[in-house]
């Protein structure tokens, strides 16, 4: 694992733990089994997790992973890490809910869920959103 991948995985784990706790306080998670698919703006407010220091750290790690997120690019060519972050969070919640798994920020991390996600953030152009970030 290289430095960028390690930074993405660590930031991803920290963000998921912090976001889970915040969304649990707001009674958003865990969602019911018949409605595992969350959507920012519909099921929770983006600002609820965007204010977290872990969100900013993950956004910075993603931006450092690939030039397509660079601040020096014109707005029409630059991508925003926020779309990746919300998809990452929503896919994580859906996968946990569908698998009937419990998540504890203090427990062992759901390990394999970060590797493909960190690779996805480094691709030249994203063809899929969160669907390709987790193994089946």
């Amino acid at each position: 694992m290289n430095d960028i991948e390690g930074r993405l995985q660590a930031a991803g784990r920290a963000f998921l733990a912090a976001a889970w706790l915040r969304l649990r306080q707001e009674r958003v998670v865990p969602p019911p089994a018949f409605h595992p698919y969350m959507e920012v703006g519909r099921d929770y407010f983006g600002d609820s997790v965007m204010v977290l220091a872990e969100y900013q750290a993950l956004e910075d790690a993603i931006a450092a992973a690939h030039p397509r997120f660079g601040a020096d690019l014109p707005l029409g060519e630059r991508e925003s890490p926020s779309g990746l972050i919300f998809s990452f969070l929503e896919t994580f919640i859906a996968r946990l809910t569908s698998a009937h798994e419990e998540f504890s920020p203090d427990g062992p991390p759901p390990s394999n869920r970060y590797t493909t996600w960190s690779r996805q953030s480094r691709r030249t152009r994203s063809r899929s959103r969160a669907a390709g970030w987790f193994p089946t």
Side-chain angles (χ1 to χ4, degrees):
M1 174 179 351
N2 64 36
D3 185 49
I4 291 174
E5 189 171 312
R7 184 175 170 204
L8 283 168
Q9 288 184 13
R13 279 193 292 272
F15 168 71
L16 289 177
W20 184 269
L21 290 174
R22 174 62 54 89
L23 294 176
R24 176 176 260 173
Q25 290 171 344
E26 295 181 2
R27 300 179 188 231
V28 173
V29 296
F34 60 86
H35 183 70
Y37 304 105
M38 310 299 292
E39 186 178 326
V40 66
R42 182 189 71 193
D43 299 303
Y44 66 100
F45 295 109
D47 289 348
S48 296
V49 296
M50 290 177 78
V51 298
L52 299 170
E54 294 85 356
Y55 177 93
Q56 185 62 53
L58 181 55
E59 189 174 56
D60 293 344
I62 292 170
H66 198 279
R68 75 177 193 242
F69 302 108
D72 57 333
L73 290 175
L75 285 177
E77 296 175 26
R78 178 176 52 208
E79 291 188 43
S80 171
S82 64
L84 291 174
I85 295 171
F86 288 119
S87 290
F88 177 55
L89 175 61
E90 292 163 9
T91 301
F92 179 76
I93 292 168
R95 290 286 174 111
L96 283 175
T97 303
S98 296
H100 304 288
E101 292 182 33
E102 294 292 324
F103 175 69
S104 171
D106 299 326
S111 58
N112 292 340
R113 298 174 194 254
Y114 304 101
T115 304
T116 53
W117 175 76
S118 65
R119 288 185 190 131
Q120 177 75 17
S121 67
R122 292 191 317 263
R123 288 189 183 163
T124 305
R125 282 284 172 199
S126 173
R127 290 199 175 107
S128 66
R129 302 239 325 164
W133 296 353
F134 294 99
T136 53

